mmCIF file of all heavy atoms in Angstrom:
data_model
loop_
_atom_site.group_PDB
_atom_site.id
_atom_site.type_symbol
_atom_site.label_atom_id
_atom_site.label_comp_id
_atom_site.label_asym_id
_atom_site.label_seq_id
_atom_site.Cartn_x
_atom_site.Cartn_y
_atom_site.Cartn_z
ATOM 1 N N LEU A 396 -9.241 -10.350 0.342
ATOM 2 C CA LEU A 396 -9.107 -11.179 -0.789
ATOM 3 C C LEU A 396 -9.209 -10.426 -2.112
ATOM 4 O O LEU A 396 -8.503 -10.645 -3.088
ATOM 5 C CB LEU A 396 -10.198 -12.343 -0.778
ATOM 6 C CG LEU A 396 -10.078 -13.368 0.298
ATOM 7 C CD1 LEU A 396 -11.284 -14.299 0.274
ATOM 8 C CD2 LEU A 396 -8.743 -14.188 0.044
ATOM 9 N N ILE A 397 -10.079 -9.388 -2.162
ATOM 10 C CA ILE A 397 -10.287 -8.599 -3.316
ATOM 11 C C ILE A 397 -8.983 -7.823 -3.601
ATOM 12 O O ILE A 397 -8.508 -7.826 -4.822
ATOM 13 C CB ILE A 397 -11.456 -7.580 -3.230
ATOM 14 C CG1 ILE A 397 -12.784 -8.415 -3.018
ATOM 15 C CG2 ILE A 397 -11.521 -6.734 -4.406
ATOM 16 C CD1 ILE A 397 -13.946 -7.569 -2.758
ATOM 17 N N MET A 398 -8.405 -7.318 -2.593
ATOM 18 C CA MET A 398 -7.146 -6.527 -2.841
ATOM 19 C C MET A 398 -5.988 -7.435 -3.298
ATOM 20 O O MET A 398 -5.253 -7.118 -4.191
ATOM 21 C CB MET A 398 -6.783 -5.819 -1.533
ATOM 22 C CG MET A 398 -5.578 -4.939 -1.622
ATOM 23 S SD MET A 398 -5.766 -3.635 -2.798
ATOM 24 C CE MET A 398 -4.223 -2.718 -2.708
ATOM 25 N N ARG A 399 -5.919 -8.576 -2.683
ATOM 26 C CA ARG A 399 -4.877 -9.518 -3.063
ATOM 27 C C ARG A 399 -5.065 -9.947 -4.480
ATOM 28 O O ARG A 399 -4.120 -10.115 -5.316
ATOM 29 C CB ARG A 399 -4.850 -10.702 -2.142
ATOM 30 C CG ARG A 399 -4.290 -10.425 -0.720
ATOM 31 C CD ARG A 399 -3.977 -11.664 -0.012
ATOM 32 N NE ARG A 399 -5.128 -12.450 0.376
ATOM 33 C CZ ARG A 399 -5.800 -12.291 1.500
ATOM 34 N NH1 ARG A 399 -5.448 -11.332 2.356
ATOM 35 N NH2 ARG A 399 -6.837 -13.056 1.785
ATOM 36 N N ALA A 400 -6.340 -10.215 -4.905
ATOM 37 C CA ALA A 400 -6.629 -10.569 -6.250
ATOM 38 C C ALA A 400 -6.296 -9.558 -7.248
ATOM 39 O O ALA A 400 -5.762 -9.788 -8.319
ATOM 40 C CB ALA A 400 -8.124 -10.968 -6.421
ATOM 41 N N ALA A 401 -6.517 -8.279 -6.843
ATOM 42 C CA ALA A 401 -6.240 -7.177 -7.774
ATOM 43 C C ALA A 401 -4.752 -7.033 -7.988
ATOM 44 O O ALA A 401 -4.269 -6.789 -9.139
ATOM 45 C CB ALA A 401 -6.756 -5.853 -7.197
ATOM 46 N N CYS A 402 -4.007 -7.256 -6.948
ATOM 47 C CA CYS A 402 -2.526 -7.232 -7.073
ATOM 48 C C CYS A 402 -1.890 -8.347 -7.831
ATOM 49 O O CYS A 402 -1.027 -8.175 -8.692
ATOM 50 C CB CYS A 402 -1.874 -7.114 -5.654
ATOM 51 S SG CYS A 402 -2.160 -5.573 -4.794
ATOM 52 N N SER A 403 -2.369 -9.580 -7.554
ATOM 53 C CA SER A 403 -1.753 -10.778 -8.084
ATOM 54 C C SER A 403 -2.363 -11.177 -9.414
ATOM 55 O O SER A 403 -1.639 -11.422 -10.421
ATOM 56 C CB SER A 403 -1.844 -11.930 -7.120
ATOM 57 O OG SER A 403 -3.181 -12.328 -6.793
ATOM 58 N N ALA A 404 -3.711 -11.381 -9.453
ATOM 59 C CA ALA A 404 -4.295 -11.850 -10.672
ATOM 60 C C ALA A 404 -4.442 -10.787 -11.747
ATOM 61 O O ALA A 404 -4.153 -11.127 -12.938
ATOM 62 C CB ALA A 404 -5.731 -12.370 -10.357
ATOM 63 N N MET A 405 -4.715 -9.584 -11.385
ATOM 64 C CA MET A 405 -4.875 -8.567 -12.412
ATOM 65 C C MET A 405 -3.571 -7.844 -12.795
ATOM 66 O O MET A 405 -3.118 -7.688 -13.892
ATOM 67 C CB MET A 405 -5.938 -7.542 -11.985
ATOM 68 C CG MET A 405 -7.298 -8.146 -11.897
ATOM 69 S SD MET A 405 -8.638 -6.927 -11.399
ATOM 70 C CE MET A 405 -8.579 -5.819 -12.809
ATOM 71 N N ALA A 406 -2.922 -7.340 -11.759
ATOM 72 C CA ALA A 406 -1.622 -6.541 -11.943
ATOM 73 C C ALA A 406 -0.413 -7.449 -12.143
ATOM 74 O O ALA A 406 0.642 -7.011 -12.465
ATOM 75 C CB ALA A 406 -1.449 -5.590 -10.837
ATOM 76 N N LYS A 407 -0.607 -8.713 -11.809
ATOM 77 C CA LYS A 407 0.522 -9.748 -11.971
ATOM 78 C C LYS A 407 1.641 -9.561 -11.018
ATOM 79 O O LYS A 407 2.754 -10.046 -11.328
ATOM 80 C CB LYS A 407 1.018 -9.758 -13.423
ATOM 81 C CG LYS A 407 -0.085 -9.970 -14.487
ATOM 82 C CD LYS A 407 -0.770 -11.288 -14.342
ATOM 83 C CE LYS A 407 -1.802 -11.486 -15.476
ATOM 84 N NZ LYS A 407 -2.528 -12.803 -15.374
ATOM 85 N N MET A 408 1.378 -8.819 -9.948
ATOM 86 C CA MET A 408 2.509 -8.711 -8.956
ATOM 87 C C MET A 408 2.677 -10.027 -8.148
ATOM 88 O O MET A 408 1.783 -10.717 -7.920
ATOM 89 C CB MET A 408 2.184 -7.546 -8.026
ATOM 90 C CG MET A 408 2.384 -6.221 -8.688
ATOM 91 S SD MET A 408 2.374 -4.821 -7.432
ATOM 92 C CE MET A 408 0.599 -4.714 -7.120
ATOM 93 N N LYS A 409 3.858 -10.198 -7.694
ATOM 94 C CA LYS A 409 4.153 -11.238 -6.713
ATOM 95 C C LYS A 409 3.858 -10.724 -5.362
ATOM 96 O O LYS A 409 4.323 -9.702 -4.925
ATOM 97 C CB LYS A 409 5.710 -11.603 -6.799
ATOM 98 C CG LYS A 409 6.001 -12.757 -5.773
ATOM 99 C CD LYS A 409 7.504 -13.091 -5.918
ATOM 100 C CE LYS A 409 7.846 -14.152 -4.861
ATOM 101 N NZ LYS A 409 9.298 -14.489 -4.913
ATOM 102 N N ILE A 410 2.987 -11.461 -4.609
ATOM 103 C CA ILE A 410 2.440 -10.979 -3.295
ATOM 104 C C ILE A 410 3.427 -11.423 -2.222
ATOM 105 O O ILE A 410 3.683 -12.598 -2.009
ATOM 106 C CB ILE A 410 1.108 -11.470 -3.099
ATOM 107 C CG1 ILE A 410 0.151 -10.996 -4.119
ATOM 108 C CG2 ILE A 410 0.585 -10.942 -1.670
ATOM 109 C CD1 ILE A 410 0.040 -9.475 -4.293
ATOM 110 N N ILE A 411 3.934 -10.371 -1.480
ATOM 111 C CA ILE A 411 4.689 -10.703 -0.310
ATOM 112 C C ILE A 411 3.743 -10.977 0.846
ATOM 113 O O ILE A 411 2.757 -10.305 0.960
ATOM 114 C CB ILE A 411 5.536 -9.457 0.136
ATOM 115 C CG1 ILE A 411 6.599 -9.178 -1.046
ATOM 116 C CG2 ILE A 411 6.357 -9.753 1.372
ATOM 117 C CD1 ILE A 411 7.306 -7.881 -0.873
ATOM 118 N N PRO A 412 3.964 -11.960 1.691
ATOM 119 C CA PRO A 412 3.020 -12.179 2.776
ATOM 120 C C PRO A 412 2.612 -10.976 3.550
ATOM 121 O O PRO A 412 3.468 -10.273 3.972
ATOM 122 C CB PRO A 412 3.705 -13.239 3.644
ATOM 123 C CG PRO A 412 4.695 -13.886 2.673
ATOM 124 C CD PRO A 412 5.132 -12.871 1.706
ATOM 125 N N GLU A 413 1.348 -10.718 3.713
ATOM 126 C CA GLU A 413 0.856 -9.541 4.411
ATOM 127 C C GLU A 413 0.987 -9.670 5.858
ATOM 128 O O GLU A 413 1.139 -10.755 6.472
ATOM 129 C CB GLU A 413 -0.606 -9.326 3.995
ATOM 130 C CG GLU A 413 -1.579 -10.373 4.489
ATOM 131 C CD GLU A 413 -2.836 -10.338 3.856
ATOM 132 O OE1 GLU A 413 -2.922 -10.370 2.633
ATOM 133 O OE2 GLU A 413 -3.887 -10.244 4.591
ATOM 134 N N TYR A 414 0.829 -8.529 6.537
ATOM 135 C CA TYR A 414 0.880 -8.461 7.954
ATOM 136 C C TYR A 414 -0.221 -7.587 8.480
ATOM 137 O O TYR A 414 -0.629 -6.644 7.858
ATOM 138 C CB TYR A 414 2.251 -7.918 8.496
ATOM 139 C CG TYR A 414 3.429 -8.843 8.092
ATOM 140 C CD1 TYR A 414 4.172 -8.489 6.977
ATOM 141 C CD2 TYR A 414 3.660 -10.026 8.790
ATOM 142 C CE1 TYR A 414 5.217 -9.430 6.615
ATOM 143 C CE2 TYR A 414 4.629 -10.848 8.455
ATOM 144 C CZ TYR A 414 5.438 -10.562 7.362
ATOM 145 O OH TYR A 414 6.486 -11.372 6.978
ATOM 146 N N ALA A 415 -0.760 -7.961 9.662
ATOM 147 C CA ALA A 415 -1.869 -7.229 10.254
ATOM 148 C C ALA A 415 -1.595 -7.021 11.765
ATOM 149 O O ALA A 415 -1.035 -7.897 12.404
ATOM 150 C CB ALA A 415 -3.136 -7.995 10.087
ATOM 151 N N ALA A 416 -1.980 -5.785 12.190
ATOM 152 C CA ALA A 416 -1.879 -5.489 13.614
ATOM 153 C C ALA A 416 -3.356 -5.432 14.151
ATOM 154 O O ALA A 416 -4.168 -4.649 13.635
ATOM 155 C CB ALA A 416 -1.174 -4.229 13.849
ATOM 156 N N TYR A 417 -3.566 -6.198 15.146
ATOM 157 C CA TYR A 417 -4.918 -6.242 15.670
ATOM 158 C C TYR A 417 -5.004 -5.521 17.041
ATOM 159 O O TYR A 417 -4.067 -5.407 17.789
ATOM 160 C CB TYR A 417 -5.379 -7.689 15.935
ATOM 161 C CG TYR A 417 -5.555 -8.508 14.642
ATOM 162 C CD1 TYR A 417 -4.508 -9.166 14.027
ATOM 163 C CD2 TYR A 417 -6.799 -8.375 13.939
ATOM 164 C CE1 TYR A 417 -4.720 -9.807 12.846
ATOM 165 C CE2 TYR A 417 -6.981 -9.005 12.767
ATOM 166 C CZ TYR A 417 -5.921 -9.723 12.192
ATOM 167 O OH TYR A 417 -6.076 -10.371 11.003
ATOM 168 N N ALA A 418 -6.227 -5.015 17.312
ATOM 169 C CA ALA A 418 -6.557 -4.289 18.597
ATOM 170 C C ALA A 418 -5.585 -3.175 18.875
ATOM 171 O O ALA A 418 -5.305 -2.884 20.059
ATOM 172 C CB ALA A 418 -6.578 -5.304 19.706
ATOM 173 N N VAL A 419 -5.185 -2.432 17.903
ATOM 174 C CA VAL A 419 -4.170 -1.446 18.091
ATOM 175 C C VAL A 419 -4.703 -0.289 18.899
ATOM 176 O O VAL A 419 -3.971 0.555 19.540
ATOM 177 C CB VAL A 419 -3.558 -0.880 16.819
ATOM 178 C CG1 VAL A 419 -2.862 -1.976 16.033
ATOM 179 C CG2 VAL A 419 -4.643 -0.289 15.863
ATOM 180 N N SER A 420 -6.055 -0.081 18.848
ATOM 181 C CA SER A 420 -6.623 1.039 19.715
ATOM 182 C C SER A 420 -6.514 0.827 21.193
ATOM 183 O O SER A 420 -6.728 1.753 21.951
ATOM 184 C CB SER A 420 -8.144 1.231 19.341
ATOM 185 O OG SER A 420 -8.832 -0.018 19.597
ATOM 186 N N ASN A 421 -6.086 -0.328 21.600
ATOM 187 C CA ASN A 421 -5.914 -0.631 23.019
ATOM 188 C C ASN A 421 -4.476 -0.338 23.473
ATOM 189 O O ASN A 421 -4.194 -0.550 24.647
ATOM 190 C CB ASN A 421 -6.203 -2.076 23.351
ATOM 191 C CG ASN A 421 -7.716 -2.364 23.079
ATOM 192 O OD1 ASN A 421 -8.569 -1.536 23.358
ATOM 193 N ND2 ASN A 421 -7.991 -3.583 22.600
ATOM 194 N N VAL A 422 -3.674 0.157 22.634
ATOM 195 C CA VAL A 422 -2.275 0.387 22.947
ATOM 196 C C VAL A 422 -2.080 1.920 23.095
ATOM 197 O O VAL A 422 -2.491 2.672 22.279
ATOM 198 C CB VAL A 422 -1.323 -0.087 21.803
ATOM 199 C CG1 VAL A 422 0.118 0.199 22.157
ATOM 200 C CG2 VAL A 422 -1.573 -1.622 21.614
ATOM 201 N N ASP A 423 -1.432 2.324 24.154
ATOM 202 C CA ASP A 423 -1.328 3.774 24.430
ATOM 203 C C ASP A 423 -0.129 4.328 23.579
ATOM 204 O O ASP A 423 0.695 3.612 23.071
ATOM 205 C CB ASP A 423 -1.149 4.028 25.921
ATOM 206 C CG ASP A 423 0.106 3.311 26.531
ATOM 207 O OD1 ASP A 423 0.990 2.984 25.810
ATOM 208 O OD2 ASP A 423 0.059 3.109 27.772
ATOM 209 N N GLU A 424 -0.038 5.635 23.612
ATOM 210 C CA GLU A 424 0.977 6.336 22.775
ATOM 211 C C GLU A 424 2.376 5.976 23.146
ATOM 212 O O GLU A 424 3.163 5.731 22.248
ATOM 213 C CB GLU A 424 0.703 7.780 22.846
ATOM 214 C CG GLU A 424 1.602 8.600 21.871
ATOM 215 C CD GLU A 424 1.270 8.394 20.400
ATOM 216 O OE1 GLU A 424 0.208 7.888 20.083
ATOM 217 O OE2 GLU A 424 2.153 8.763 19.591
ATOM 218 N N PRO A 425 2.684 5.950 24.449
ATOM 219 C CA PRO A 425 4.110 5.617 24.861
ATOM 220 C C PRO A 425 4.480 4.235 24.359
ATOM 221 O O PRO A 425 5.621 4.007 23.952
ATOM 222 C CB PRO A 425 4.099 5.723 26.356
ATOM 223 C CG PRO A 425 2.991 6.699 26.674
ATOM 224 C CD PRO A 425 1.955 6.471 25.610
ATOM 225 N N THR A 426 3.541 3.290 24.416
ATOM 226 C CA THR A 426 3.826 1.924 24.047
ATOM 227 C C THR A 426 4.058 1.875 22.462
ATOM 228 O O THR A 426 4.981 1.141 22.049
ATOM 229 C CB THR A 426 2.652 0.965 24.361
ATOM 230 O OG1 THR A 426 2.497 0.994 25.784
ATOM 231 C CG2 THR A 426 2.955 -0.442 23.876
ATOM 232 N N ARG A 427 3.248 2.582 21.768
ATOM 233 C CA ARG A 427 3.456 2.690 20.334
ATOM 234 C C ARG A 427 4.789 3.175 19.983
ATOM 235 O O ARG A 427 5.568 2.745 19.051
ATOM 236 C CB ARG A 427 2.285 3.477 19.717
ATOM 237 C CG ARG A 427 1.020 2.858 19.698
ATOM 238 C CD ARG A 427 -0.064 3.722 19.296
ATOM 239 N NE ARG A 427 0.147 4.475 18.062
ATOM 240 C CZ ARG A 427 -0.668 5.421 17.548
ATOM 241 N NH1 ARG A 427 -1.779 5.654 18.195
ATOM 242 N NH2 ARG A 427 -0.447 5.979 16.444
ATOM 243 N N LYS A 428 5.185 4.316 20.654
ATOM 244 C CA LYS A 428 6.528 4.960 20.351
ATOM 245 C C LYS A 428 7.626 3.941 20.665
ATOM 246 O O LYS A 428 8.619 3.832 19.934
ATOM 247 C CB LYS A 428 6.623 6.245 21.103
ATOM 248 C CG LYS A 428 5.753 7.335 20.617
ATOM 249 C CD LYS A 428 5.978 8.631 21.440
ATOM 250 C CE LYS A 428 5.068 9.780 20.931
ATOM 251 N NZ LYS A 428 5.236 11.042 21.656
ATOM 252 N N LYS A 429 7.469 3.316 21.867
ATOM 253 C CA LYS A 429 8.544 2.362 22.193
ATOM 254 C C LYS A 429 8.666 1.277 21.211
ATOM 255 O O LYS A 429 9.735 0.748 20.885
ATOM 256 C CB LYS A 429 8.241 1.853 23.646
ATOM 257 C CG LYS A 429 9.215 0.837 24.129
ATOM 258 C CD LYS A 429 8.885 0.342 25.576
ATOM 259 C CE LYS A 429 9.855 -0.686 26.082
ATOM 260 N NZ LYS A 429 9.520 -1.167 27.392
ATOM 261 N N TYR A 430 7.473 0.737 20.811
ATOM 262 C CA TYR A 430 7.445 -0.375 19.860
ATOM 263 C C TYR A 430 8.129 0.041 18.574
ATOM 264 O O TYR A 430 8.881 -0.747 17.991
ATOM 265 C CB TYR A 430 5.992 -0.754 19.561
ATOM 266 C CG TYR A 430 5.818 -1.670 18.482
ATOM 267 C CD1 TYR A 430 6.580 -2.927 18.470
ATOM 268 C CD2 TYR A 430 5.007 -1.463 17.403
ATOM 269 C CE1 TYR A 430 6.389 -3.800 17.422
ATOM 270 C CE2 TYR A 430 4.790 -2.295 16.392
ATOM 271 C CZ TYR A 430 5.581 -3.492 16.392
ATOM 272 O OH TYR A 430 5.424 -4.448 15.332
ATOM 273 N N CYS A 431 7.859 1.224 18.059
ATOM 274 C CA CYS A 431 8.389 1.645 16.769
ATOM 275 C C CYS A 431 9.934 1.898 16.887
ATOM 276 O O CYS A 431 10.574 2.050 15.805
ATOM 277 C CB CYS A 431 7.698 2.944 16.302
ATOM 278 S SG CYS A 431 6.050 2.608 15.723
ATOM 279 N N LEU A 432 10.493 1.907 18.014
ATOM 280 C CA LEU A 432 12.007 1.983 18.150
ATOM 281 C C LEU A 432 12.668 0.660 18.392
ATOM 282 O O LEU A 432 13.845 0.568 18.392
ATOM 283 C CB LEU A 432 12.322 2.930 19.382
ATOM 284 C CG LEU A 432 11.915 4.381 19.152
ATOM 285 C CD1 LEU A 432 12.203 5.190 20.499
ATOM 286 C CD2 LEU A 432 12.717 5.047 18.035
ATOM 287 N N LEU A 433 11.814 -0.397 18.524
ATOM 288 C CA LEU A 433 12.359 -1.742 18.821
ATOM 289 C C LEU A 433 13.314 -2.258 17.759
ATOM 290 O O LEU A 433 14.240 -3.034 18.108
ATOM 291 C CB LEU A 433 11.227 -2.733 19.129
ATOM 292 C CG LEU A 433 10.543 -2.577 20.434
ATOM 293 C CD1 LEU A 433 9.369 -3.574 20.528
ATOM 294 C CD2 LEU A 433 11.463 -2.818 21.630
ATOM 295 N N TYR A 434 13.057 -1.853 16.464
ATOM 296 C CA TYR A 434 13.892 -2.424 15.466
ATOM 297 C C TYR A 434 15.350 -2.005 15.602
ATOM 298 O O TYR A 434 16.185 -2.761 15.072
ATOM 299 C CB TYR A 434 13.394 -1.996 14.066
ATOM 300 C CG TYR A 434 13.649 -0.566 13.687
ATOM 301 C CD1 TYR A 434 14.883 -0.253 13.043
ATOM 302 C CD2 TYR A 434 12.814 0.516 14.025
ATOM 303 C CE1 TYR A 434 15.157 1.047 12.660
ATOM 304 C CE2 TYR A 434 13.132 1.840 13.725
ATOM 305 C CZ TYR A 434 14.306 2.067 13.032
ATOM 306 O OH TYR A 434 14.662 3.333 12.700
#
Side-chain angles (χ1 to χ4, degrees):
L396 289 174
I397 297 175
M398 183 60 178
R399 287 195 292 271
C402 290
S403 60
M405 295 181 66
K407 306 298 183 183
M408 285 192 283
K409 179 181 179 182
I410 301 301
I411 300 171
E413 66 195 55
Y414 296 101
Y417 292 92
V419 295
S420 59
N421 295 324
V422 181
D423 58 24
E424 186 69 14
T426 301
R427 286 168 52 181
K428 289 181 178 179
K429 180 180 178 181
Y430 171 56
C431 286
L432 293 174
L433 285 177
Y434 77 89

